Amino acid sequence: MSRERKFALGDRLLALLFPERCLFCRKPVDAGQCFCSACEKKVPIAPLARRLEAAVPGGAGFSCRSPLSYRGEVVEAMRRFKFQGKKGLAKPFARLMARAADFPEQPELVTFVPLSKNHRRERGYNQSGALAEELGRLLNLPVKPVLEKVKENKIQHLLSAKERRQNVRNVYRASSEVHGKKVLLVDDIVTTGATLRECAGQLYRAGAEKVFALCAADAELGGGTGRREERQEEK
């Protein structure tokens, strides 16, 4: 992968004080790099897009893009990010996601899949929100928490595809602030797409003109292993 071409002066100064580290092995890397030379050779690249149908009248759809397949070293890096307090990993993940954000139309704002208050309290932050904040900075787009989780549900990882669709039904609500806007919806991992479908449906119901989705990793397109690892993650 090539380096990012441009960096803000602030990023360069921070890189001198706090060297960036490889997403996989955590060795220091140059500013703007996500991987060391050794780990770069084993990055599981995902196909960049697949079509998901949003659960709205008329069957409005959206493209979901992901730079990584959820398998191998990506699983461990994501586990550190989500469950071990390594919020700083949002930066390299988001940098990879920004490279995949090649949509047919330009989004006007970035939002993200919300966590329940209990899960946010346990983790200390919403990993999808952290990715969205970094993406907003990289893409020069405003980040707005226009989605709200209005009721608790079961952990998606432990459910079948059908159960996932039922589990997220009417769990989220979108603000009318998205009316007439092209929205970039961010999450950490996409598996069956049930959560993204439900969130996109709510955004469309609130008046969004178009919804695009961007995730760090895709479990369905990882050759089968990624989804098994994802289902075991919170057992």
Side-chain angles (χ1 to χ4, degrees):
M1 294 182 184
S2 62
R3 297 184 183 183
E4 293 290 311
R5 294 180 179 178
K6 296 181 180 179
F7 299 99
L9 178 59
D11 285 343
R12 291 182 180 274
L13 292 174
L14 284 173
L16 291 174
L17 296 171
F18 306 100
E20 295 187 35
R21 295 183 178 276
C22 173
L23 183 60
F24 290 167
C25 73
R26 310 307 296 149
K27 291 180 181 178
V29 295
D30 292 338
Q33 291 289 78
C34 297
F35 307 101
C36 68
S37 57
C39 289
E40 189 172 32
K41 298 174 183 177
K42 52 186 178 183
V43 178
I45 302 298
L48 285 179
R50 57 180 166 133
R51 187 73 175 173
L52 299 173
E53 291 303 318
V56 293
F62 62 99
S63 294
C64 177
R65 289 181 171 265
S66 303
L68 299 168
S69 291
Y70 189 68
R71 56 188 171 89
E73 302 285 350
V74 175
V75 176
E76 182 55 37
M78 185 62 71
R79 186 175 289 121
R80 294 198 305 269
F81 175 46
K82 290 179 68 171
F83 305 117
Q84 297 177 16
K86 304 299 183 181
K87 186 179 179 182
L89 293 181
K91 190 171 183 178
F93 272 128
R95 189 178 295 129
L96 293 167
M97 293 166 72
R99 295 171 184 171
D102 183 19
F103 296 104
E105 299 176 67
Q106 176 66 26
E108 297 171 271
L109 66 88
V110 181
T111 194
F112 51 91
V113 175
L115 283 179
S116 68
K117 292 180 179 179
N118 288 339
H119 280 162
R120 184 181 176 87
R121 191 179 303 114
E122 289 171 3
R123 296 183 188 179
Y125 57 91
N126 179 347
Q127 71 278 356
S128 298
L131 292 171
E133 289 293 338
E134 289 294 335
L135 277 167
R137 185 176 65 84
L138 291 168
L139 301 177
N140 195 28
L141 291 172
V143 180
K144 299 185 178 182
V146 297
L147 283 163
E148 177 188 7
K149 191 167 188 178
V150 294
K151 67 179 183 179
E152 294 285 349
N153 59 346
K154 297 177 182 178
I155 296 173
Q156 288 283 87
H157 302 76
L158 309 180
L159 305 176
S160 68
K162 181 178 180 180
E163 289 170 334
R164 287 180 184 224
R165 291 192 295 271
Q166 296 171 340
N167 189 49
V168 295
R169 194 165 296 159
N170 299 317
V171 166
Y172 304 98
R173 181 169 57 204
S175 163
S176 60
E177 191 174 358
V178 301
H179 186 81
K181 301 288 187 181
K182 298 180 182 70
V183 181
L184 178 58
L185 174 61
V186 173
D187 203 3
D188 52 359
I189 306 166
V190 56
T191 304
T192 64
T195 298
L196 291 177
R197 279 193 200 90
E198 183 64 23
C199 287
Q202 293 300 326
L203 291 167
Y204 278 123
R205 290 187 183 98
E209 178 182 335
K210 190 71 177 177
V211 178
F212 307 100
L214 188 61
C215 297
D218 192 318
E220 286 285 276
L221 299 178
T225 58
R227 186 171 178 186
R228 288 196 298 273
E229 288 164 323
E230 186 234 7
R231 288 174 68 89
Q232 293 170 356
E233 195 167 79
E234 291 189 358
K235 285 187 178 180

